[in-house]
């Protein structure tokens, strides 16, 4: 076991990691800290290369005590897929997509919740609640079922039906509320304060980010320990962006990469862009985005408790935060499917559109090595039906 303690991400105050924890005293996320000198002795590139791929490959950099079981649904190492035709369309080097849609429950929420639920079970937690726009609820419910933990999920009314029914299929108690995700989160917080359940809201417990961190560890190894020039990430709560940024620091500390970092691009939809607004205004924290609306439900997050961590990573990396017009999202999904046979989820469409905008604005060079995140399987979302009705008699008469 290499985790030593937890640390407040704002004040640096130290917290024990031997019992369940939520936010720090000042209401900010706690981050897991490790004895990285010991990890460095235990983990080399050769040892990693000899291991089976998957989440537990990275166990020295995960919070679970050695011997405690990582609850798994067979998470694969997700592939990097080159969008060659998309690259040609823009006269640019083909962007690589890290396709997180291959994970159990069809989204990368499986990474974070697999690790967080494993820790909750290790601590003997028996009931967990969270607010969700969809994918997180399904992943919580699936890993909760596997761990024998009761799960309660509260969704905004606009949550796609497929997420609601999938979550319920794993036996979670699902409630649909007439508000935004942060309002559902307030209900979860109230129940947690009354001792009715453990609060699993994004970044309100410290271990989901550790699971998401594996995206950064994995991509570094997949690229031969040479990080890309830029990473485009669909940013809601920002767990994955913050987690990858943390992963790179840990990889440097254990000697697997140097001080170079990708430029981090936080992509949001124009209908919900609190991080972009704060980035452009030079603010350290973001204010709530009222009336949030976008088809990319995974990034419809009006307020992020880790806002300052997202903004810091984006700024320290020399990257940017970009708001994508809604119409460009569906267009990007369609283009990638037609051009490259790759069905992005809407959040992935936003990311591809964000790359297009960055190319236009000169924020990215055409020959740079770029990595785009597709965080869910495109089949989980309603698609436009463009089929035509025919009747068979006409077909026989040669109508096709
Ligand atoms: C949750 C989610 C996001 C946002 O992830 P964060 O790390 O919370 O910012 C993006 N895309 C999809 C498909 C999601 O489910």
């Amino acid at each position: 076991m290499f985790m030593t303690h937890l640390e407040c991400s704002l004040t640096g105050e130290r917290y024990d990691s031997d019992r369940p924890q939520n936010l720090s005293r000042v209401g900010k996320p706690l981050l897991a800290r490790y004895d990285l000198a010991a990890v460095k002795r235990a983990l080399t590139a050769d040892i990693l290369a000899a291991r089976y791929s998957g989440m537990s490959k990275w166990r020295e950099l995960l919070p679970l005590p050695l011997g405690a079981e990582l609850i798994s649904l067979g998470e694969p190492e997700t592939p990097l897929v080159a969008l060659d035709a998309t690259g040609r369309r823009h006269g640019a080097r083909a962007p690589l997509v890290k396709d997180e849609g291959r994970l159990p429950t069809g989204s990368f929420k499986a990474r974070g919740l697999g690790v967080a639920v494993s820790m909750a079970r290790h601590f003997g937690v028996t009931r967990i609640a969270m607010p969700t726009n969809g994918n997180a609820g399904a992943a919580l419910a699936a890993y909760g079922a596997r761990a024998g933990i009761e799960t309660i999920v509260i969704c905004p009314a606009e949550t796609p039906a497929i997420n609601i029914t999938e979550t319920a299929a794993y036996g979670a108690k699902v409630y649909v509320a007439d508000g935004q995700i942060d309002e559902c989160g307030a209900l979860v917080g109230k129940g947690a304060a009354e001792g009715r359940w453990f609060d699993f809201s994004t970044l309100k417990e410290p271990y989901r980010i550790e699971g998401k961190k594996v995206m950064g560890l994995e991509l570094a190894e997949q690229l031969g320990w040479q990080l890309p020039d830029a990473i485009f990430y669909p940013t809601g709560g920002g767990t994955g962006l913050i987690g990858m940024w943390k992963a790179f620091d840990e990889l440097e500390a254990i000697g697997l990469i140097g001080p170079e970092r990708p430029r981090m691009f936080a992509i949001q939809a124009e209908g919900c862009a609190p991080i972009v607004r704060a980035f452009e205004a030079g603010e350290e924290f973001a204010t709530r985005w009222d009336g949030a609306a976008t088809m990319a439900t995974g990034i419809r997050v009006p307020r992020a408790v880790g806002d300052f961590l997202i903004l810091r990573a984006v700024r320290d990396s020399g990257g940017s935060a970009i708001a994508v017009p809604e119409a460009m999202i569906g267009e990007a999904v369609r283009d990638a499917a037609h051009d490259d046979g790759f069905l992005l989820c809407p959040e992935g469409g936003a990311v591809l559109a964000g790359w297009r905008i960055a190319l236009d604005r000169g924020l990215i060079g055409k020959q740079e090595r770029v990595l785009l995140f597709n965080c869910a399987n495109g089949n989980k979302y309603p698609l436009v039906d463009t089929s035509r009705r025919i009747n068979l008699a006409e077909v026989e008469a040669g109508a096709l």
Side-chain angles (χ1 to χ4, degrees), residues 107-109 134-136 202 208 212 215 233-241 297-299 301 310 345 347-348 374-376 381:
S107 89
F108 72 157
K109 296 292 194 298
N135 288 327
T202 305
R208 203 200 295 196
K212 290 276 194 89
M215 297 191 293
Y233 184 79
T235 306
T239 338
L241 192 148
T297 43
I299 54 175
V301 180
I310 304 169
C345 62
E347 297 81 0
N374 183 55
C375 294
Y381 297 75

Side-chain angles (χ1 to χ4, degrees), residues 385-400:
D385 182 2
T386 57
S387 64
R388 286 170 214 154
R389 306 295 144 217
I390 52 172
N391 81 48
L392 294 174
E394 283 170 22
V395 174
E396 297 214 346
L400 278 186

